[in-house]
Structure formats: structure tokens, C-alpha cells
Amino acid sequence: YRSLSERGPFMKAQYIKDGIGIYAATATIMSILIPVPVLASIAQAFPEVPMTTVQLIAAIPSLLAIVANFVTAKLATRFTPRVRTIAACFFYVAAGLVGYFLHDNFAMLIVASCLAGFGMGGVQNSIASLITNSFDGDARGAAFGLCSVFVGLGGFVYVSMAAALGAEAWYNAYLGYFVVLVLIVLQLIFLPKGVLEEPTAKGEHVKIPREVIFLCIFGFAYFGATQLFNNNISMFIAETGLGGTMEAGNASQVYTLAGMVGGFLVFPIKRLFKNQTLAANALISLIGCACIVLTGSLVGVCIGAAFMAFGFAVYNPIESQLVSEASPAKGLAFNLALMAATQSIGQATSPYWIGAAATPMGGGTTAMFYVGVIIFAVLMVVQFLYFNSLKKKAAASAEAPAA
């Protein structure tokens, strides 16, 4: 960070120490993917269980994370972010214990997914609070951006490890959760304490600023439209005759790598576009979605995947930064939980509302990507007008005292 270079040696050391603890926790988030490589083996082990029910093992954590975000926010006045983060990480370890030792019972695998979901939501909310406490200004946006990098790195490690461990016996994949124990040790050493939120007085309610409401609406639409790639790229490539599983895997790898690069560039992008960064990200995603649906080639799909992943990697930390800046100290954790919830709901419900919007165009994955182009275009225009109005309002407020 540029601002980091301007600090004294003690502050530099403190930032580095805090960063190690924060990103050790961030790297645990995607451990929810551990069962994904062995879902087919789980389905074979429990032939009486419908495939849609088996798929819940991968879907439940994201849904439970919504609940966990609000539960963690409720505890923000009693426990510091450090305590909440470490406690949430132990839920992952519990998920590994249940999934490995009680693997003969399918219901216990669902319980393991629920535990992982609570861990995910708890870490998400607590880490957002810690970054807000530990960093300020553009350094905060850069810190949120590096979260995307470590989430991606963690996801790669967990999926690779689960596939290797589960090759001989599928339930060995759950041993991958014990890597979290190493990351917990790093948190115990380096994770900053953070601050307790001031409790609300009796009869007082947490205030949700108008800016946070708008950001949540933008996030719902943006995350839903971006989810198009993960949900449909495999079917789109097959539907358009561009390839099969291998080609879809190549596009997904490009998406993952571009997302990690985007995490490193949050700070420069923010400095370039300033208060219009979210509108610029919508444009980047619009270009990516258009490349996927209009080029008619696998190269075009990969280029589009890179643009969409880059935009998403920058959008998420910037939205987190804006919500933290718009929120008062009292109610910060709740507003961050609200943001995470609307993002997750946008992703989870994406196939339904985007699918419905694509029906008049003939349905299918191609039509859904055209809907994505429209959503990104509308978001770009609306966000540009909204943030431009905020800029004018801030300028007018600054001129009033001078007058």
C-alpha cells in the first residue's frame, strides 16, 4: 500500500502482523468446497438419497452463512472480532470431525455442511469488522481486495487437497478441514483484537444508512448477474458447440486466475476511477459478458471470463469498503451482514430471476447471458448517476460552510 510506505517502522510491522492474522482467517472461507470433488462418490455411497439432496452438501454452507452473518453481528457488542473469528474457524474443524468420523450417516454429512456454513458466515462478518478497525482510507479497500486473493488461494488448496485425499476413500476428503487448525494457530499469534461495538440503548434501533440500502441493491443485482458464469458456462460451451468438459474447465481456470489478479489491483483501480469504481466495474463485467455471448469462440469465452472475474474481484472489496465507510460505528457489523446476505441471496436466486427474464428471449443459457449484458449495462448507468449525485451533494455540503 502507498499509505503503508508513509508509516513509521512500528506501524509497518503492526500492519504486517495484522495482515498475517487477517488473511490466515480469510484463507479458511473456501474450505466449504472440500466436499465438492467427492460429491459423485458420496452419491454412490448413498444410492437411496436423491442426487438433488446430495447436492445440498455443497449448497447449504452458503445459505447457512447468511444466518451466521447476522448471528455474528448480534454478538459484536459482546465479543471482539478476534474472538468471533477464531470461534467461527473451529466450526470448520467440527465439520471435518463430523464428516470424517460419522460418514456412514448421510444426515451427519448435512450437519457437517451446516457447521461449515456457520464457520463461513462468522469469518466473513468478523474479518470485515477487523479490516474496518485495522485499516482506513484506500488501504482499507486494498485490504479488502487482498481478501479475494487469499479466498481464491484457499479455494485452490482445499479443492486440490480434497481431490487427492478422497481418491482412495471419499470421506478422507474431510481431513482437509484440519488444515484450518494450522491457520487458527497463525490467528492466535497474529490476529488483531479489534474493538467491541457499542451496544444500542433500550428501544434504540440499528440505523441502516440510505447509502447502505442502495449498495445492497446494487450488490444483489451484480452478484446475481456475475453468478451466471459459474452456473452456466459449462452448459453454454456445450450448447454453442464450443467444446465440452475440458474447455469449460479451461474457462473456469482463466476465471479463477483473473480473479486473483484483480484482488491485487483493487487499490490502483480505486485510485483511477475514484467514486465511480463500481460503475467502472459494471462496465468491465459488461464487456466480459458480451465477449462470452457474442464472439462465438472459445478464446472469446476465456477473454470474457477474465473480464468478468476481474470486475467481480474488484467490485466485492470496494462495496465492502463503501458500506463500512457509510455505516456508523454502532451497527457496522449488522450493515456488513446485510450486505453479505443480499449478495448471497442474489447469487442463490440468480437462476430463477435471470431465467425468468430470459424466457421471452427463448430461454437457454445463451439468452441468460444476454440478460446478464442488459443487467450490467443498467447497473453501469444507474451507479454512475447515483455516485455522481453523491459527489455533487458532497461538493455542495463543502461549499455551504465557506459561503
Side-chain angles (χ1 to χ4, degrees), residues 327-347:
S327 301
K330 188 183 297 186
L332 171 64
F334 178 85
N335 289 329
L336 289 169
L338 183 64
M339 180 200 72
T342 52
Q343 291 172 347
S344 297
I345 293 171
Q347 288 178 313

Side-chain angles (χ1 to χ4, degrees), residues 10 72 144 179 201 206 208 212 273 275 302 328 350 353 363-364 393 398:
F10 175 77
T72 306
F144 275 120
V179 173
V206 173
I208 305 175
V212 172
F273 294 105
N275 72 317
C302 289
S350 171
W353 54 274
K393 184 179 178 181

Side-chain angles (χ1 to χ4, degrees), residues 206-215 323 325-328 331 335 338 386:
V206 173
K207 181 182 179 182
I208 305 175
R210 179 171 174 268
E211 290 85 351
V212 172
I213 295 173
F214 274 100
L215 287 167
V323 168
E325 291 173 349
S327 301
N335 289 329
L338 183 64
Y386 174 73

